[in-house]
């Protein structure tokens, strides 16, 4: 039976890569490798997953230097000379081994005013939003984000400036800027227009290249820049 040499980050901020020999199988995913190590070789290995089918985003890790959903990454696509290196997501503190601390990532969603703010009451009629309206189409383009952090881990600006809100939070803000039912538009634009907001993005597009949901945070961030500029010209920021 052929095997793979799998090098896995062990520890927290300080630690080391440890190497494990894992049997190779057809259609094996990177998450299968991690699961094999934890169940058959070293039960102290910590990692995170839930759905195994690309729906929850919790299995995101760095594979050979690139952020990916490990449950949807086939070993055959990423193995180099029968070797794979697996690390936790970049740009986030490490809790242990392959588990990144996502709290700062989601705190930034809150800072970007990523929560829907209803403007109607239960006594009002249901809002009617045409699927063909430009706002609805813009919102649809980013709405399928599942908060996996792959884009965030791939963004150079987050690496240089840990205060930067990052592609996922800004993509979320853009979907809400285009939600005609939302009542916090001014507050949200002010939240994303600061130094650590949309204007810090240098349009390198790593987020868009890496997003497993084919979302383009870069396009949403460009939309935020335009909306913030318009608001500034009107003296609304
Ligand atoms: S935009 Fe894509 S890569 Fe970023 S958190 Fe959402 S689903 Fe993940
Ligand atoms: S386009 Fe902007 S948000 Fe996306 S990776 Fe580049 S700097 Fe980061
Ligand atoms: S385990 Fe849910 S996306 Fe991979």
């Amino acid at each position: 039976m052929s095997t793979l040499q799998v090098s896995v980050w062990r520890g927290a901020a300080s630690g080391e890569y440890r190497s494990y020999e894992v049997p190779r199988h057809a259609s094996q995913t990177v998450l299968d490798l991690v699961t094999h190590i934890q169940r058959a070789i070293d039960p102290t290995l910590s990692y995170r997953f839930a759905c195994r089918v690309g729906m929850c985003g919790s299995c995101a890790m760095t594979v050979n230097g690139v952020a990916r959903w490990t449950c949807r990454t086939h070993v055959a696509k990423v193995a180099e000379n029968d070797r794979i290196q697996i690390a936790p997501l970049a740009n986030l503190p490490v809790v242990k081994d392959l588990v990144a601390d996502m709290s700062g990532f989601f705190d930034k969603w809150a800072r970007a005013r990523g929560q829907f703010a209803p403007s109607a009451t239960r006594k009002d009629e249901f809002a009617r939003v045409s699927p063909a309206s430009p706002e609805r189409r813009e919102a649809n383009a980013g709405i399928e984000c599942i908060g996996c952090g792959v884009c965030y881990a791939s963004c150079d600006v987050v690496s240089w400036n840990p205060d930067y809100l990052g592609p996922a939070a800004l993509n979320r803000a853009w979907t809400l800027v285009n939600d005609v039912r939302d009542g916090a538009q001014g507050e949200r634009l002010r939240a994303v227009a600061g130094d650590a907001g949309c204007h810090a993005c240098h349009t390198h597009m790593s987020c868009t290249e890496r997003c497993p949901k084919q979302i383009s945070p870069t396009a949403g961030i460009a939309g935020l820049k335009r909306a913030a500029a318009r608001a500034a010209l009107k003296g609304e920021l």
Side-chain angles (χ1 to χ4, degrees), residues 31 48-60 68-73 146 148:
L31 184 62
R48 192 159 48 208
F49 74 97
C51 72
R52 306 187 78 139
V53 290
M55 289 182 72
C56 71
S58 65
C59 67
R68 295 176 175 279
W69 290 348
T70 53
C71 74
R72 301 287 287 177
T73 300
I146 59 171
C148 66

Side-chain angles (χ1 to χ4, degrees), residues 6-20:
V6 185
S7 177
V8 178
W9 181 257
R10 302 301 307 267
S14 66
E16 59 181 2
Y17 284 98
R18 272 189 229 156
S19 196
Y20 303 89

Side-chain angles (χ1 to χ4, degrees), residues 57 60 69 102 105-106 109 142 144-154 167-169 171-172 206-208 210-217:
W69 290 348
M102 304 295 286
F105 173 77
F106 287 113
W109 285 46
E144 297 290 339
C145 170
I146 59 171
C148 66
V150 163
C151 57
Y152 187 86
S154 307
N171 173 72
R172 173 67 182 159
S206 312
C207 54
T208 300
R210 298 266 180 259
C211 174
K213 301 282 287 186
Q214 283 79 49
I215 291 168
S216 173

Side-chain angles (χ1 to χ4, degrees), residues 107-125:
D107 287 348
K108 289 181 179 178
W109 285 46
R111 261 176 55 202
R113 203 65 172 81
Q115 319 86 332
F116 175 66
S119 56
T121 70
R122 63 177 61 191
K123 294 186 181 141
D124 293 319
E125 287 290 319

Side-chain angles (χ1 to χ4, degrees), residues 13-30:
S14 66
E16 59 181 2
Y17 284 98
R18 272 189 229 156
S19 196
Y20 303 89
E21 192 166 304
V22 179
R24 200 157 181 176
H25 300 293
S27 303
Q28 196 171 25
T29 66
V30 174

